């Protein structure tokens, strides 16, 4: 008698194997029903489809969300998958009855781990339905981190993410750790900015004078860490880091986040294409060799943003940020810092981090630079900034000064910044064609 699992092989022998992918309906998924039981069932069906598609005895290796279909989903934990394409042409909607989710850190909608040859693509949408999560975070009825990231990846090799749209993620859209050979392109990442603004205004967390949010929703766009990472042709709208390159250390297979290229990106609002934040740790936290080029920022909170965290034990903990190149950026109407290299600005709601948000208005007593996270070889080239009221900031520690910096053709012509000049501390290198004023000391 044939076992069920041998049917695929039988069909293959008979030439009857499906030419389309594994529809998740074949694993029990139900369309257009938002009941919790259905969302759980659907997320389990997705997982089962992945396991089937990863089985090399099967002839097709596609998990398919077909065009025009809609499924409510919960959380899928998917591990040890090889050479599978997740074809997202329909709509996936994340279950948003908060009480159904456990109250713990590290929640996710999708978790892909210890896998190789993973492609996520399609023309569909993953809707995170973040509103209730944002409210809960703002009102402090859920701990800040007890929200799911939409896509969580760890230790994935040869990975492509492209085509589809994510919107209103409860927390990060893509948190991609310990990656090797990652390409992300043609993605659209949307956040309901109006709704977030309304919420913040209602709760006095919107600075009326500066017209900026004073509370991070942590709806980051793409946060990658690992080696050989290429992110290009993406559009990102949010009130947090558009892309945040995260450090790696010997804790992971990829001991440093390095060889990263980010190009042809458009960002609306956003808190920068950032490096960090980087803390010193016992594993030597590291970001090296990152190029960011051909980017348009519209009304950003920040654009160029390299951020260090405070803390760490001298002699035990260390870190490095090196060889970071920002080139050909157009920054229009920055609402806060267009260029900020120094201690992390956001004070997280859990109280961690420095109180650097209003630096230098509040003085720098609350905002020291961490000497355990030195920054070397930063290039800023062909950067045009129009509008904006705050000066560019480059702050390094006197015991671990920044060296090897190269600034070439950075034009910041707004009146206020011209009056103020740059704020530069302990930064060395060469510069030319710099407006409004010089910044670097000669080495
Ligand atoms: C830096 O990364 C790029 C990929 O973005 C790579 O082509 C280049 O070889 C790397 N440079 C060094 C010195 O490793
Ligand atoms: C600079 O970036 C813009 C996109 O923001 C692009 O259209 C242009 O071709 C780039 N210039 C160069 C010299 O690469
Ligand atoms: C440099 O680091 C030392 C030790 O942490 C600290 O006391 C000092 O304030 C830092 N300097 C700046 C400019 O923040
Ligand atoms: C900075 O750049 C110089 C010149 O290219 C290089 O010799 C040095 O190793 C770089 N520093 C780091 C920390 O990568």
């Amino acid at each position: 008698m044939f076992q069920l699992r041998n049917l695929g092989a039988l069909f293959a022998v008979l030439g009857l194997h499906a030419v389309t992918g594994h529809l998740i309906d074949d694993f029990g998924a139900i369309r257009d029903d938002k009941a919790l039981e259905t969302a759980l069932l659907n997320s389990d069906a997705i997982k089962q489809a992945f396991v089937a598609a990863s089985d090399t005895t099967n002839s097709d290796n596609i998990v398919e969300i077909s065009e025009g279909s809609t499924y409510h989903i919960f959380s899928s934990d998917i591990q040890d998958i090889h050479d599978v394409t997740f074809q997202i042409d329909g709509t996936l909607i994340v279950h948003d009855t908060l009480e159904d989710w456990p109250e713990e850190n590290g929640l996710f909608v999708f978790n892909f781990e210890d896998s190789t040859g993973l492609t996520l693509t399609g023309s569909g949408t993953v809707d995170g339905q973040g509103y209730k999560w944002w409210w809960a975070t703002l009102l402090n009825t859920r701990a800040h981190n007890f929200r799911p990231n939409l896509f969580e990846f760890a230790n994935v090799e040869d990975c492509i993410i492209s085509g589809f749209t994510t919107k209103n993620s409860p927390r990060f859209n893509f948190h991609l750790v310990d990656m090797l050979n990652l390409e992300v392109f043609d993605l659209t990442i949307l956040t309901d900015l109006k709704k977030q603004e309304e919420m913040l205004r209602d709760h006095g967390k919107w600075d009326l004078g500066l017209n900026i949010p004073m509370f991070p929703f942590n709806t980051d766009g793409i946060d990658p860490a690992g080696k050989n990472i290429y992110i290009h042709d993406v559009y990102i709208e949010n009130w947090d880091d558009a892309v945040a390159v995260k450090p790696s250390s010997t804790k992971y297979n990829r001991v440093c986040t390095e060889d990263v290229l980010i190009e042809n990106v458009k960002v609306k609002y956003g808190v920068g294409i950032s490096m960090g934040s980087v803390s010193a740790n016992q594993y030597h936290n590291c970001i090296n060799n990152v190029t960011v080029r051909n980017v348009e920022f519209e009304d950003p909170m920040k654009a160029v943003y390299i951020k260090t965290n405070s803390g760490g034990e001298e002699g035990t903990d260390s870190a490095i940020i090196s060889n970071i190149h920002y080139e050909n950026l157009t920054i229009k109407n920055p609402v806060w810092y267009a260029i900020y290299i120094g201690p992390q600005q956001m004070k997280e709601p859990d109280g961690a981090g420095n109180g650097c948000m209003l630096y230098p208005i509040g003085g720098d007593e609350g905002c020291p630079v961490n000497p355990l996270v030195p920054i070397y070889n930063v290039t800023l080239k062909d950067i045009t900034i129009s509008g904006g009221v705050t000066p560019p900031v480059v702050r390094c520690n006197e015991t671990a000064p920044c060296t090897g910096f190269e600034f070439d053709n950075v034009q910041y012509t707004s009146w206020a910044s011209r009056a103020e000049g740059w704020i530069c501390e302990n930064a060395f290198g060469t510069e030319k064609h710099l407006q409004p004023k010089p910044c670097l000391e000669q080495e």
Side-chain angles (χ1 to χ4, degrees), residues 39-179:
L40 289 166
L41 201 68
N42 290 348
S43 286
D44 190 53
I46 292 172
K47 181 177 173 144
Q48 285 183 50
F50 263 93
V51 172
S54 185
D55 182 345
T56 49
T57 61
N58 274 322
S59 56
D60 68 62
N61 56 357
I62 301 172
V63 173
E64 196 178 317
I65 309 295
S66 54
E67 203 181 326
S69 65
T70 299
Y71 303 87
H72 290 258
I73 55 171
F74 199 82
S75 176
S76 305
D77 192 1
I78 299 168
Q79 321 233 348
D80 196 19
I81 292 298
H82 305 282
D83 300 316
V84 175
T85 296
F86 192 14
Q87 184 74 36
I88 307 172
D89 289 328
T91 305
L92 300 174
I93 301 178
V94 179
H95 185 73
D96 75 341
T97 305
L98 273 46
E99 302 75 53
D100 293 336
W101 289 80
E103 295 239 5
E104 61 190 40
N105 202 350
L107 298 177
F108 50 77
V109 176
F110 287 100
N111 183 47
F112 293 101
E113 219 171 313
D114 302 329
S115 296
T116 57
L118 199 54
T119 299
L120 273 63
T121 188
S123 55
T125 301
V126 182
D127 182 347
Q129 297 210 93
Y131 311 107
K132 289 185 191 166
W133 292 103
W134 304 334
W135 271 121
T137 309
L138 188 61
L139 301 179
N140 222 3
T141 53
R142 299 269 296 202
H144 200 66
N145 292 331
F146 292 2
R147 290 179 282 164
N149 292 335
L150 266 192
F151 288 95
E152 186 76 41
F153 285 57
N155 187 27
V156 177
E157 204 173 309
D158 299 329
C159 179
I160 295 174
I161 304 174
S162 82
F164 58 98
T165 299
T166 65
K167 63 179 194 190
N168 299 330
S169 179
R171 196 162 173 269
F172 298 168
N173 286 271
F174 294 90
H175 186 231
L176 314 169
V177 182
D178 201 9
M179 306 295 289

Side-chain angles (χ1 to χ4, degrees), residues 305 307-308 340-345 354 356 367-370 395:
Y305 190 15
K307 47 182 167 171
T308 60
Y340 184 99
I341 299 172
Q344 140 103 322
Q345 276 220 296
N354 295 316
C356 294
C367 191
V369 193
N370 190 349
R395 295 189 60 222

Side-chain angles (χ1 to χ4, degrees), residues 367-371 395-399 425-426:
C367 191
V369 193
N370 190 349
R395 295 189 60 222
C396 309
N397 195 283
E398 61 278 10
T399 62
E425 293 169 26
N426 309 306

Side-chain angles (χ1 to χ4, degrees), residues 65-376:
I65 309 295
S66 54
E67 203 181 326
S69 65
T70 299
Y71 303 87
H72 290 258
I73 55 171
F74 199 82
S75 176
S76 305
D77 192 1
I78 299 168
Q79 321 233 348
D80 196 19
I81 292 298
H82 305 282
D83 300 316
V84 175
T85 296
F86 192 14
Q87 184 74 36
I88 307 172
D89 289 328
T91 305
L92 300 174
I93 301 178
V94 179
H95 185 73
D96 75 341
T97 305
L98 273 46
E99 302 75 53
D100 293 336
W101 289 80
E103 295 239 5
E104 61 190 40
N105 202 350
L107 298 177
F108 50 77
V109 176
F110 287 100
N111 183 47
F112 293 101
E113 219 171 313
D114 302 329
S115 296
T116 57
L118 199 54
T119 299
L120 273 63
T121 188
S123 55
T125 301
V126 182
D127 182 347
Q129 297 210 93
Y131 311 107
K132 289 185 191 166
W133 292 103
W134 304 334
W135 271 121
T137 309
L138 188 61
L139 301 179
N140 222 3
T141 53
R142 299 269 296 202
H144 200 66
N145 292 331
F146 292 2
R147 290 179 282 164
N149 292 335
L150 266 192
F151 288 95
E152 186 76 41
F153 285 57
N155 187 27
V156 177
E157 204 173 309
D158 299 329
C159 179
I160 295 174
I161 304 174
S162 82
F164 58 98
T165 299
T166 65
K167 63 179 194 190
N168 299 330
S169 179
R171 196 162 173 269
F172 298 168
N173 286 271
F174 294 90
H175 186 231
L176 314 169
V177 182
D178 201 9
M179 306 295 289
L180 178 64
N181 305 333
L182 164 69
E183 183 175 1
V184 180
F185 63 99
D186 282 350
L187 273 191
T188 306
I189 297 177
L190 303 174
T191 312
D192 193 332
L193 301 166
K194 276 223 153 63
K195 203 72 169 190
Q196 287 193 345
E197 182 177 334
E198 265 170 43
M199 289 179 180
L200 293 170
R201 281 180 186 274
D202 279 0
H203 283 77
K205 305 267 185 180
W206 188 272
D207 189 300
L208 299 172
L210 296 164
N211 203 22
I212 55 172
M214 297 302 288
F215 178 91
F217 278 119
N218 286 132
T219 47
D220 289 21
I222 306 167
D223 290 9
K227 191 173 163 67
N228 290 343
I229 295 171
Y230 184 25
I231 297 172
H232 61 105
D233 299 285
V234 296
Y235 177 80
I236 302 173
E237 234 179 64
N238 64 359
W239 271 125
D240 219 307
D241 300 75
V243 178
V245 176
K246 298 290 181 191
S248 298
S249 58
T250 54
K251 204 158 60 160
Y252 300 105
N253 299 307
R254 270 52 79 169
V255 301
C256 177
T257 289
E258 59 188 344
D259 306 341
V260 181
L261 175 60
I262 300 166
E263 65 179 354
N264 308 336
V265 178
K266 282 193 181 170
V267 181
K268 188 166 181 194
Y269 302 104
V271 188
I273 294 193
S274 58
M275 306 298 130
S277 49
V278 180
S279 315
N281 68 18
Q282 58 181 305
Y283 308 101
H284 192 58
N285 234 355
C286 168
I287 299 180
N288 179 50
N289 187 25
V290 181
T291 298
V292 178
R293 68 185 177 206
N294 309 346
V295 182
E296 273 177 40
F297 295 92
E298 196 185 320
D299 304 314
M301 274 270 277
K302 293 195 189 70
V304 173
Y305 190 15
I306 301 178
K307 47 182 167 171
T308 60
N309 273 341
S310 52
E313 285 285 322
E314 206 183 329
T316 312
D317 299 324
S318 64
I320 184 170
I321 302 172
S322 53
N323 304 303
I324 312 293
H325 311 290
Y326 285 94
E327 290 170 24
N328 186 28
L329 313 181
T330 309
I331 305 171
K332 291 182 190 145
N333 302 314
V335 291
W336 201 225
Y337 290 113
I339 298 173
Y340 184 99
I341 299 172
Q344 140 103 322
Q345 276 220 296
M346 278 290 182
K347 193 180 175 78
E348 296 292 332
D350 60 9
N354 295 316
C356 294
M357 186 61 195
L358 292 178
Y359 179 86
I361 301 162
D364 64 357
E365 319 80 53
C367 191
V369 193
N370 190 349
L372 298 179
V373 189
I375 306 172
Y376 305 112

